[in-house]
Amino acid sequence: MKDFQIRAIGLMSGTSLDGLDVCCCTFLRQSGKWSFRIDCAKGYDYPEEMKQILGTGAQQMSALDFIAFHSAYGKFLGERVNDFMREFNVRPDIIASHGHTIFHEPKKKIMYQIGDGAAIAAETRIPTVSDFRRLDIMLGGQGAPLVPIGDRLLFSEYDYCLNIGGFSNISFEQEGKRIAFDISPVNYVINHYCRQIGLEFDRDGDIARQGTICQSLLDELNGMDFYRQSGPKSLGREWVETLVYPMLERYELSMEDRLRTFYEHAAHQVQRVITAHPLSGGSDKLLITGGGAFNKFLIERIGALCPCEIVIPDRQIIEYKEALIFAFLGALYMADEPGCLASVTGAPIDNIGGMLFKI
């Protein structure tokens, strides 16, 4: 296998709607082993109107309006990349875009990551890969998560890699295979309720910290069928809106008690997964990234429940790990290496997802 070097920009927009993450990295494959360097990274807020559309509005659009927004959002992504390149004086070989998840129902072979890659390429004049999930879903896989290939090849010193964003997801090696799946909703639910009281999120978990657990609600949350399913499995907003919100709202709780109970649920589900998949026995390292890593109370609860050494990396890795790994997916695409693992998604074979737009 020849040595290979490439500079890539990764774009990530998560379900928690905290903005667009842009990360420029240099990747090197040497003697078959990958390494990386983050060259620069920055987050961009969404205009309020765009945030509303990405949150719930796009699902209600007519087909024509939906496709028009798909193009407009792609143009927005390209403009932000242009701003980024000017600010940091970088020009990558490839852009890899996650897009923003609007529909995700793998059993129906339905998915849509909004944000036209062609519009990004047209705006930036840089080759762009997007639509990473579609092939895997058409093969019968979940199309997600996609980050585990980066966990395996770039973060192998950790036993478990946990990302806490709109949803929590985990990956780890077991019997020579990378295992990964979504665990539970987290910030998607927390931020939804915080917005009802005029806040974007629960800073440091201060609201939840003041509450009391409602044991009957906690038991009901923990008893949902999804948690008894074996992987591969993934979650989407449809599941939360159909099952989780109605369950939470059947109980007439204060905001503090509702969030406190949900935090315990999210922490318990992490503990349940790790306990069910023991690795080296007692000295396992759990890397936590994503916006939830900044939530002090949530991390306290995970630490209290989980039999692991919890590792919180530097701020740049916390904030940009997913954008970094999407840049890596672009590098893998150009190196003609699979970025989507069958052991993770349930597809019959590893595959190289994505569509390349090149001028």
Side-chain angles (χ1 to χ4, degrees):
M1 186 179 289
K2 292 181 179 179
D3 291 352
F4 180 84
Q5 182 169 320
I6 192 170
R7 173 177 274 183
I9 280 181
L11 306 181
M12 180 67 200
S13 177
T15 49
S16 55
L17 286 171
D18 51 1
L20 171 70
D21 291 336
V22 183
C23 187
C24 181
C25 306
T26 299
F27 299 98
L28 176 63
R29 185 185 66 198
Q30 199 166 28
S31 301
K33 184 175 176 60
W34 285 95
S35 61
F36 74 93
R37 180 186 72 240
I38 295 179
D39 299 318
C40 43
K42 185 173 180 176
Y44 295 87
D45 293 333
Y46 286 126
E48 193 57 40
E49 182 180 359
M50 181 171 284
K51 186 184 290 188
Q52 294 297 323
I53 296 172
L54 292 172
T56 57
Q59 293 90 11
Q60 313 303 323
M61 286 179 165
S62 70
L64 184 61
D65 287 344
F66 184 86
I67 294 301
F69 182 70
H70 175 55
S71 298
Y73 180 56
K75 185 174 187 297
F76 171 86
L77 296 177
E79 289 170 347
R80 297 295 74 74
V81 172
N82 283 338
D83 293 342
F84 180 88
M85 291 190 298
R86 282 192 293 268
E87 179 175 350
F88 294 102
N89 192 29
V90 292
R91 190 166 185 85
D93 303 300
I94 190 78
I95 296 168
S97 177
H98 171 270
H100 190 89
T101 306
I102 302 298
F103 300 110
H104 182 76
E105 297 187 66
K107 288 182 179 178
K108 299 179 181 178
K109 285 189 164 52
I110 293 172
M111 59 74 60
Y112 212 96
Q113 303 295 114
I114 208 164
D116 191 349
I120 299 171
E123 196 68 31
T124 62
R125 300 295 196 270
I126 292 171
T128 298
V129 187
S130 62
D131 206 9
F132 283 92
R133 298 187 186 192
R134 186 175 304 278
L135 175 59
D136 191 80
I137 283 179
M138 295 307 156
L139 285 166
Q142 293 284 308
L146 293 171
V147 167
I149 187 67
D151 292 341
R152 166 182 270 184
L153 298 178
L154 302 179
F155 293 93
S156 60
E157 66 266 38
Y158 302 102
D159 298 288
Y160 303 94
C161 292
L162 173 68
N163 184 76
I164 306 176
F167 297 84
S168 58
N169 54 70
I170 196 165
S171 85
F172 50 90
E173 293 289 323
Q174 193 166 68
E175 297 177 355
K177 293 182 178 180
R178 196 74 192 179
I179 306 299
F181 47 84
D182 286 345
I183 297 177
S184 78
V186 186
N187 291 340
Y188 190 81
V189 172
I190 295 168
N191 295 355
H192 168 79
Y193 285 107
C194 285
R195 285 192 288 269
Q196 293 181 3
I197 56 174
L199 300 173
E200 284 298 309
F201 58 93
D202 182 14
R203 186 178 298 277
D204 293 333
D206 288 343
I207 299 171
R209 192 187 294 273
Q210 299 170 46
T212 301
I213 294 170
C214 172
Q215 190 63 46
S216 55
L217 172 57
L218 179 61
D219 292 343
E220 194 172 351
L221 287 166
N222 287 335
M224 287 189 287
D225 287 343
F226 177 84
Y227 301 128
R228 290 193 291 271
Q229 297 171 16
S230 58
K233 57 182 182 177
S234 59
L235 288 167
R237 62 163 191 86
E238 296 89 348
W239 186 81
V240 175
E241 292 163 6
T242 302
L243 295 177
V244 179
Y245 289 161
M247 190 179 294
L248 288 166
E249 287 160 15
R250 279 201 301 272
Y251 291 78
E252 295 183 3
L253 301 176
S254 67
M255 185 63 71
E256 292 83 359
D257 291 354
R258 177 177 290 167
L259 289 179
R260 176 68 184 90
T261 304
F262 188 77
Y263 273 56
E264 197 69 12
H265 165 64
H268 172 78
Q269 290 307 320
V270 172
Q271 177 269 328
R272 183 192 60 80
V273 166
I274 288 175
T275 301
H277 299 89
L279 298 180
S280 60
S283 60
D284 299 329
K285 288 186 177 181
L286 171 64
L287 177 71
I288 302 182
T289 56
F294 294 118
N295 188 316
K296 293 179 181 177
F297 184 57
L298 179 59
I299 299 304
E300 284 175 23
R301 294 309 306 145
I302 293 172
L305 295 175
C306 288
C308 288
E309 176 191 344
I310 289 180
V311 179
I312 306 294
D314 66 68
R315 189 179 187 94
Q316 198 173 48
I317 295 292
I318 291 173
E319 290 186 329
Y320 298 110
K321 178 171 174 269
E322 287 197 305
L324 152 68
I325 292 180
F326 263 84
F328 185 50
L329 286 169
L332 290 172
Y333 185 97
M334 299 305 289
D336 203 32
E337 290 188 29
C340 207
L341 299 174
S343 65
V344 168
T345 68
I349 51 174
D350 294 349
N351 56 87
I352 303 175
M355 183 182 298
L356 176 66
F357 298 94
K358 183 177 180 181
I359 295 172

